[in-house]
Amino acid sequence: MRLSRLFLPILKETPKEAEIASHRLMLRAGMMRQEAAGIYALLPLGLRVLNKITAIVREEQNRAGGNELLMPTIQSAELWRESGRYDDYGKEMLRIKDRHEREMLYGPTNEEMITEIFRAYVRSYKDLPLNLYHIQWKFRDEVRPRFGLMRGREFLMKDAYSFDIDAAAARHSYNRMFVAYLRTFARMGLKSIPMVADTGPIGGDLSHEFIILAPTGESEVFCHSDYLTYEVPDENVNFEDATGLQTIVDKWTSLYAATSEMHDSAKFEALPEPVRMSARGIEVGHIFYFGTKYSEPMRAEVTGPDGTPHAVHMGSYGIGPTRLIGALIEAFHDDAGIKWPEAVAPFRVTILNLKQGGADTDAACEKLYRDLSGKGIDVLYDDTDNRPGAKFATADLIGIPWQILVGPKGLADGKVELKRRSDGSRELLSPEDVVARLTL
RNA sequence: CGGGGUGUAGCGCAGUCCGGUAGCGCAUCUGCUUUGGGAGCAGAGGGUCGCAGGUUCGAAUCCUGCCGCCCCGACCA
């Protein structure tokens, strides 16, 4: 993509409504535009990041055994009356009426609908375990939306639902998601720590929040510092091996870790002082096991080996991809702008032509652009006629992991400069070596 | 939902107290020069002053009502 043709409305000055880094930087980097309180349009750069995030989420859900489908955003009130949540959910649920005065709602979550789909088709324990998920927009009418995408009212959510014949099998399903979540966040460059969580209005008795550490995080968290050194299972982890998964989950839940709401200061103080870590965190995922809370009232049953009906044991598992955009920026930025991890960067590399219109620089940039694009690399070529300083500022702001600086000085020696955004390190290389380096 | 702010050009702001027909910086457009850390000079365009009433010869400014948005708290993927 050529920058001259990319719709990238960057701002030099910070819009006054933005207080925290991610909100400020998303607006400045032209990633999104606010349309109403807690409601945002994603611009091309923001959408690119979101798509990278959802691709990783999807891969890991599929690897763990999930089946992707897509449920609608609008749901019927009747379904929610059946589960008893229509009245319980309160004002956070956006209720609307269609032209026939039928009561509808914009889904804040999908337990009811997925249960309805499940019971319509699944009859036998032989069809279990089953994990269904989708990635869909949700609406929760937050009293006070804030922090840009981090707490919007309309947000994208990956929500998965598991169905099992009994509690033991459900525990295996829960563990699949637990491990998938560890992997999902790690692939984005994030260190996530599972913490025992309050189950809230969704209900149930087994739940973990996945918290990533960021200095500007919303909540205060307390944990054993050894979690920072734990290895995340690699892609060869066997999700069918219930015992193996349980071992991993046991390890990741054995040490103290709690958000401030669940914090037990006596337990925490009992830890040796050097391993006590208190930090700021952002919740990016939440998993629940809630047994038969929905399957009983909604009669989602299968016939068991004994020939009698069994209400299925369910779990639900959420990740907020739009929130993750903000969380990633909170975790990876400096005064100059965003520092995207490569896995989620909108472009992997950007070429800065420091003398646009110069015969040598233009030719060198065009060749680099062709060569890198030809290798399937997401490359952004800054072919605008801005001065070098402006190009540096833009590249740093939008946070592309690799910058290739092509200027008359270096080209005189046949060299261009490869700069790494994350640590600012630079290296003088021939254009061929740069291509080789980036295609390793 | 309580408390506190705020609304003037795309963005950041001044002007409001003390009424006289709207200004600054950045951005945008044109031209020339410039090209390794947000360029310089010259010129140009762009605003129903959040909305609706009212007071007045005259309202961005005073009065009344409404709306939007932000921040702090209680609540949450």
Side-chain angles (χ1 to χ4, degrees), chain A residues 17 24-25 32 37 50 62 98 112 121 130 134 153 157 163 210-211 319 345 350 376 401 414:
Chain A
E17 73 268 18
R24 201 166 60 228
L25 288 170
M32 67 175 186
L50 181 64
N62 293 346
D98 71 8
E112 282 77 3
Y121 300 108
L130 184 63
H134 73 339
R153 290 192 293 169
M157 181 159 93
F163 303 88
F210 285 73
I211 303 281
I319 290 179
T350 179

Short mmCIF file of all heavy atoms in Angstrom, two decimals, chain A residues 17 24-25 32 37 50 62 98 112 121 130 134 153 157 163 210-211 319 345 350 376 401 414:
data_model
loop_
_atom_site.label_atom_id
_atom_site.label_comp_id
_atom_site.label_asym_id
_atom_site.label_seq_id
_atom_site.Cartn_x
_atom_site.Cartn_y
_atom_site.Cartn_z
N GLU A 17 -10.88 14.98 24.27
CA GLU A 17 -11.65 14.00 25.02
C GLU A 17 -10.82 12.78 25.40
O GLU A 17 -11.22 11.98 26.22
CB GLU A 17 -12.90 13.57 24.25
CG GLU A 17 -12.64 12.67 23.05
CD GLU A 17 -12.47 13.45 21.76
OE1 GLU A 17 -12.23 14.69 21.83
OE2 GLU A 17 -12.58 12.83 20.69
N ARG A 24 -5.95 8.12 23.00
CA ARG A 24 -5.26 9.24 22.37
C ARG A 24 -4.56 8.79 21.09
O ARG A 24 -4.70 9.40 20.03
CB ARG A 24 -4.21 9.73 23.38
CG ARG A 24 -3.74 11.13 23.19
CD ARG A 24 -2.99 11.60 24.43
NE ARG A 24 -1.82 10.78 24.71
CZ ARG A 24 -1.52 10.29 25.91
NH1 ARG A 24 -2.33 10.50 26.93
NH2 ARG A 24 -0.45 9.57 26.09
N LEU A 25 -3.82 7.70 21.19
CA LEU A 25 -3.03 7.26 20.05
C LEU A 25 -3.90 6.71 18.92
O LEU A 25 -3.58 6.86 17.75
CB LEU A 25 -1.99 6.22 20.50
CG LEU A 25 -0.85 6.83 21.32
CD1 LEU A 25 0.02 5.75 21.95
CD2 LEU A 25 0.01 7.74 20.45
N MET A 32 -9.51 5.26 14.29
CA MET A 32 -10.94 5.21 14.56
C MET A 32 -11.52 6.60 14.71
O MET A 32 -10.79 7.58 14.86
CB MET A 32 -11.22 4.42 15.83
CG MET A 32 -10.71 5.11 17.09
SD MET A 32 -11.19 4.21 18.57
CE MET A 32 -10.63 5.34 19.84
N ALA A 37 -21.22 8.34 22.17
CA ALA A 37 -20.55 7.90 23.39
C ALA A 37 -20.38 6.38 23.35
O ALA A 37 -21.35 5.64 23.25
CB ALA A 37 -21.36 8.30 24.61
N LEU A 50 -7.57 -4.88 13.83
CA LEU A 50 -8.65 -5.75 14.32
C LEU A 50 -8.66 -7.07 13.56
O LEU A 50 -8.85 -8.15 14.15
CB LEU A 50 -10.00 -5.04 14.16
CG LEU A 50 -11.21 -5.83 14.66
CD1 LEU A 50 -11.11 -6.09 16.17
CD2 LEU A 50 -12.52 -5.13 14.34
N ASN A 62 -10.10 -22.56 16.68
CA ASN A 62 -10.24 -23.75 15.83
C ASN A 62 -9.29 -24.85 16.28
O ASN A 62 -9.64 -26.02 16.31
CB ASN A 62 -9.97 -23.38 14.36
CG ASN A 62 -11.05 -22.46 13.80
OD1 ASN A 62 -12.12 -22.31 14.42
ND2 ASN A 62 -10.78 -21.83 12.68
N ASP A 98 -39.83 -3.71 17.02
CA ASP A 98 -39.90 -3.66 15.57
C ASP A 98 -41.24 -3.06 15.15
O ASP A 98 -42.03 -2.64 15.99
CB ASP A 98 -39.65 -5.05 14.97
CG ASP A 98 -40.80 -6.03 15.21
OD1 ASP A 98 -41.87 -5.60 15.71
OD2 ASP A 98 -40.63 -7.22 14.90
N GLU A 112 -28.44 -17.56 25.54
CA GLU A 112 -29.80 -18.02 25.23
C GLU A 112 -29.90 -18.53 23.80
O GLU A 112 -30.43 -19.61 23.53
CB GLU A 112 -30.80 -16.87 25.41
CG GLU A 112 -31.16 -16.59 26.86
CD GLU A 112 -30.07 -15.84 27.62
OE1 GLU A 112 -29.05 -15.46 27.01
OE2 GLU A 112 -30.25 -15.64 28.84
N TYR A 121 -30.97 -29.17 17.55
CA TYR A 121 -30.32 -30.17 16.72
C TYR A 121 -29.68 -31.34 17.46
O TYR A 121 -29.56 -32.41 16.92
CB TYR A 121 -29.22 -29.51 15.87
CG TYR A 121 -29.75 -28.44 14.95
CD1 TYR A 121 -29.49 -27.11 15.19
CD2 TYR A 121 -30.51 -28.78 13.84
CE1 TYR A 121 -29.97 -26.12 14.35
CE2 TYR A 121 -31.00 -27.81 12.99
CZ TYR A 121 -30.73 -26.47 13.24
OH TYR A 121 -31.21 -25.52 12.41
N LEU A 130 -19.17 -30.45 22.43
CA LEU A 130 -19.37 -29.53 21.33
C LEU A 130 -18.98 -28.13 21.78
O LEU A 130 -19.32 -27.72 22.90
CB LEU A 130 -20.84 -29.55 20.90
CG LEU A 130 -21.20 -28.70 19.69
CD1 LEU A 130 -20.48 -29.18 18.43
CD2 LEU A 130 -22.71 -28.71 19.47
N HIS A 134 -18.70 -17.64 17.96
CA HIS A 134 -18.76 -16.68 16.87
C HIS A 134 -18.04 -15.41 17.29
O HIS A 134 -17.68 -15.21 18.45
CB HIS A 134 -20.19 -16.43 16.39
CG HIS A 134 -21.07 -15.62 17.29
ND1 HIS A 134 -20.83 -15.44 18.63
CD2 HIS A 134 -22.20 -14.92 17.00
CE1 HIS A 134 -21.79 -14.67 19.12
NE2 HIS A 134 -22.61 -14.34 18.17
N ARG A 153 -19.60 0.92 24.18
CA ARG A 153 -20.91 0.29 24.35
C ARG A 153 -21.10 -0.77 23.27
O ARG A 153 -21.59 -1.85 23.51
CB ARG A 153 -22.02 1.34 24.28
CG ARG A 153 -22.00 2.25 25.51
CD ARG A 153 -23.25 3.07 25.59
NE ARG A 153 -23.34 4.03 24.50
CZ ARG A 153 -24.43 4.73 24.21
NH1 ARG A 153 -25.53 4.56 24.93
NH2 ARG A 153 -24.42 5.60 23.24
N MET A 157 -16.98 -9.06 20.10
CA MET A 157 -16.64 -10.09 21.08
C MET A 157 -16.58 -11.45 20.40
O MET A 157 -17.43 -11.77 19.57
CB MET A 157 -17.64 -10.12 22.23
CG MET A 157 -17.30 -11.16 23.28
SD MET A 157 -18.06 -10.83 24.89
CE MET A 157 -19.54 -11.79 24.74
N PHE A 163 -20.59 -27.47 25.38
CA PHE A 163 -21.69 -28.34 25.81
C PHE A 163 -21.12 -29.72 26.11
O PHE A 163 -20.44 -30.31 25.26
CB PHE A 163 -22.73 -28.45 24.69
CG PHE A 163 -23.27 -27.14 24.23
CD1 PHE A 163 -22.62 -26.42 23.23
CD2 PHE A 163 -24.42 -26.60 24.81
CE1 PHE A 163 -23.11 -25.19 22.81
CE2 PHE A 163 -24.91 -25.38 24.39
CZ PHE A 163 -24.26 -24.67 23.40
N PHE A 210 -8.65 -13.30 32.25
CA PHE A 210 -7.29 -13.22 31.73
C PHE A 210 -6.89 -11.76 31.71
O PHE A 210 -7.53 -10.95 31.03
CB PHE A 210 -7.19 -13.86 30.34
CG PHE A 210 -7.21 -15.36 30.41
CD1 PHE A 210 -8.38 -16.04 30.70
CD2 PHE A 210 -6.05 -16.09 30.24
CE1 PHE A 210 -8.40 -17.42 30.81
CE2 PHE A 210 -6.05 -17.47 30.35
CZ PHE A 210 -7.23 -18.14 30.64
N ILE A 211 -5.88 -11.46 32.49
CA ILE A 211 -5.45 -10.08 32.68
C ILE A 211 -4.10 -9.89 32.01
O ILE A 211 -3.21 -10.73 32.16
CB ILE A 211 -5.29 -9.78 34.19
CG1 ILE A 211 -6.59 -10.07 34.94
CG2 ILE A 211 -4.78 -8.38 34.42
CD1 ILE A 211 -7.63 -9.02 34.83
N ILE A 319 -13.64 -13.22 24.53
CA ILE A 319 -12.46 -12.37 24.29
C ILE A 319 -12.98 -11.12 23.59
O ILE A 319 -13.82 -11.22 22.69
CB ILE A 319 -11.43 -13.06 23.36
CG1 ILE A 319 -10.75 -14.22 24.08
CG2 ILE A 319 -10.35 -12.05 22.90
CD1 ILE A 319 -9.74 -14.97 23.21
N ALA A 345 0.47 -5.99 13.85
CA ALA A 345 0.75 -4.69 13.22
C ALA A 345 -0.08 -4.52 11.95
O ALA A 345 -0.27 -5.48 11.21
CB ALA A 345 2.23 -4.58 12.90
N THR A 350 7.51 -0.44 6.82
CA THR A 350 7.22 0.77 6.06
C THR A 350 8.50 1.31 5.46
O THR A 350 9.55 1.30 6.10
CB THR A 350 6.52 1.84 6.95
OG1 THR A 350 6.26 3.01 6.16
CG2 THR A 350 7.36 2.22 8.15
N GLY A 376 5.07 -11.27 -0.28
CA GLY A 376 3.88 -11.41 0.55
C GLY A 376 3.93 -10.64 1.85
O GLY A 376 3.16 -10.91 2.77
N PRO A 401 6.37 -1.99 12.83
CA PRO A 401 7.53 -2.59 13.52
C PRO A 401 8.88 -2.31 12.85
O PRO A 401 9.88 -2.15 13.54
CB PRO A 401 7.23 -4.08 13.52
CG PRO A 401 5.75 -4.17 13.40
CD PRO A 401 5.32 -3.00 12.58
N GLY A 414 25.34 2.73 -1.27
CA GLY A 414 24.55 1.55 -1.58
C GLY A 414 23.81 0.98 -0.39
O GLY A 414 23.44 -0.19 -0.38
#
